[in-house]
Amino acid sequence: MTNLPLLGAAMTVPELETLQDFILSENRDLELQDFCEIGALDRDWKLVADRAKQLLSGYQGRLGIHGPFWGLHIASPDAEIQKVVTRRMIQGLEVCEYLGATQMVIHSPYITWDYHNLDNFAGRKAYQNVLDNTHATMDAAVKRAEDLGVTMVVENIMDKDPDIRRILVEDFHSPAMAVSIDTGHAHYAYGSTGAPPVDYFVRRAGNTLQHIHLQDADGYADRHWTIGEGNIMWHAVFRALGELSSNPRLILELRHKSGIPPSVEWLRARNLAR
């Protein structure tokens, strides 16, 4: 059982006050989510970061943050919007530098509409436009992330195509870009838009996958339920994860943090994770 993958969790610094022992006792991966809220980067975020440093004294696990995303589209065709998004991404990376975080979650530019419409144009021009706009927005941030040793992981939000974020990430040819999967988002896409199941998302990402948000859901909405409350096929998901060598961070991202210990126990009881 000690060879089972170790689970981490996503939380804010006030929530870390309560779950400090859970994280520190086994140096579990941690994702801080204080810095993605609207206005967080315009306030004195170092006060929050300093409290996190105090709580994480002696911590030797892998630390990340959820980067800014509200209202930010990393493939906007508008040059002025691109400048705003670039600035926000670099601000997020400044938080990473201050904290010593090595990963930042960002959101996919793709939506279900893209799956049904990008081929509705001659050639591959529509696909290339998304890539070009993402480069125009993200190239400076990717260079900054490379300099800092931070990897930005691109999370599926409304993606129906399990390949498309991997293709985007590979187009950057950079260790600072990798794939993230949110199991609840993938399961929503499976249940409500006809996407493949969650384990297919994992296999299609392959070793570009370096981060996963674990949450349970019903295939209808973005539930962020405790593991075991929904109907995601967890045995299949962890079989697919077991085929990878990229050692992705397994981050429990639950609406109610009281569900973290029961989620760990549910997965441990099935010899899937600990």
Side-chain angles (χ1 to χ4, degrees):
M1 185 172 291
T2 56
N3 292 326
L4 295 177
L6 184 66
L7 299 163
M11 63 192 71
T12 63
V13 172
E15 290 162 341
L16 180 59
E17 302 264 2
T18 301
L19 291 161
Q20 181 185 29
D21 288 345
F22 172 78
I23 296 296
L24 294 184
S25 62
E26 296 191 69
N27 287 305
R28 295 176 183 270
D29 293 336
L30 173 64
E31 179 186 317
L32 293 175
Q33 297 197 317
D34 307 78
F35 309 102
C36 61
E37 293 304 319
I38 295 172
L41 297 174
D42 297 323
R43 297 189 289 269
D44 190 357
W45 54 262
K46 288 185 179 179
L47 293 175
V48 178
D50 285 340
R51 181 55 181 152
K53 287 182 178 183
Q54 292 172 353
L55 293 169
L56 294 172
S57 177
Y59 176 63
Q60 297 178 21
R62 298 183 292 183
L63 178 62
I65 72 166
H66 200 304
F69 68 90
W70 291 106
L72 304 177
H73 183 40
I74 68 169
S76 173
D78 188 305
E80 293 303 310
I81 301 300
Q82 290 170 4
K83 292 174 186 176
V84 171
V85 178
T86 299
R87 179 168 62 87
R88 287 302 195 198
M89 293 299 159
I90 290 176
Q91 285 180 301
L93 292 169
E94 289 170 354
V95 175
C96 290
E97 180 181 22
Y98 190 79
L99 284 169
T102 54
Q103 200 172 77
M104 185 171 84
V105 180
I106 64 175
H107 279 189
S108 171
Y110 294 104
I111 59 175
T112 307
W113 185 94
D114 294 320
Y115 180 87
H116 293 278
N117 285 279
L118 287 178
D119 285 308
N120 193 24
F121 302 94
R124 302 286 292 180
K125 186 175 186 297
Y127 287 93
Q128 191 61 48
N129 283 344
V130 177
L131 295 177
D132 290 345
N133 291 334
T134 306
H135 276 283
T137 304
M138 295 298 297
D139 277 349
V142 169
K143 177 60 170 63
R144 181 69 175 136
E146 289 174 349
D147 292 342
L148 295 174
V150 174
T151 300
M152 292 184 288
V153 289
V154 187
E155 175 187 2
N156 57 309
I157 306 302
M158 291 180 277
D159 305 53
K160 182 175 178 179
D161 183 343
D163 293 306
I164 204 160
R165 278 169 306 107
R166 188 199 72 246
I167 293 168
L168 180 147
V169 160
E170 291 174 341
D171 203 64
F172 278 84
H173 304 285
S174 171
M177 288 287 275
V179 171
S180 165
I181 292 171
D182 184 297
T183 58
H185 298 170
H187 195 51
Y188 150 76
Y190 167 68
S192 295
T193 73
V198 181
D199 58 308
Y200 280 41
F201 274 75
V202 174
R203 286 200 171 92
R204 301 274 273 273
N207 284 318
T208 64
L209 181 64
Q210 294 191 24
H211 173 277
I212 184 163
H213 276 152
L214 299 169
Q215 55 144 317
D216 218 336
D218 57 2
Y220 185 81
D222 185 22
R223 301 295 192 180
H224 289 269
W225 281 338
T226 298
I227 306 302
E229 289 186 343
N231 55 16
I232 290 178
M233 296 166 281
W234 289 110
H235 287 81
V237 171
F238 277 90
R239 273 196 298 271
L241 286 169
E243 297 165 7
L244 305 180
S245 59
S246 57
N247 192 24
R249 303 183 194 191
L250 307 179
I251 303 293
L252 290 162
E253 190 188 42
L254 307 181
R255 181 163 297 157
H256 301 295
K257 305 311 176 189
S258 60
I260 290 175
S263 294
V264 174
E265 290 310 311
W266 193 94
L267 291 167
R268 191 199 308 269
R270 289 156 180 79
N271 284 332
L272 296 176
R274 59 185 176 90

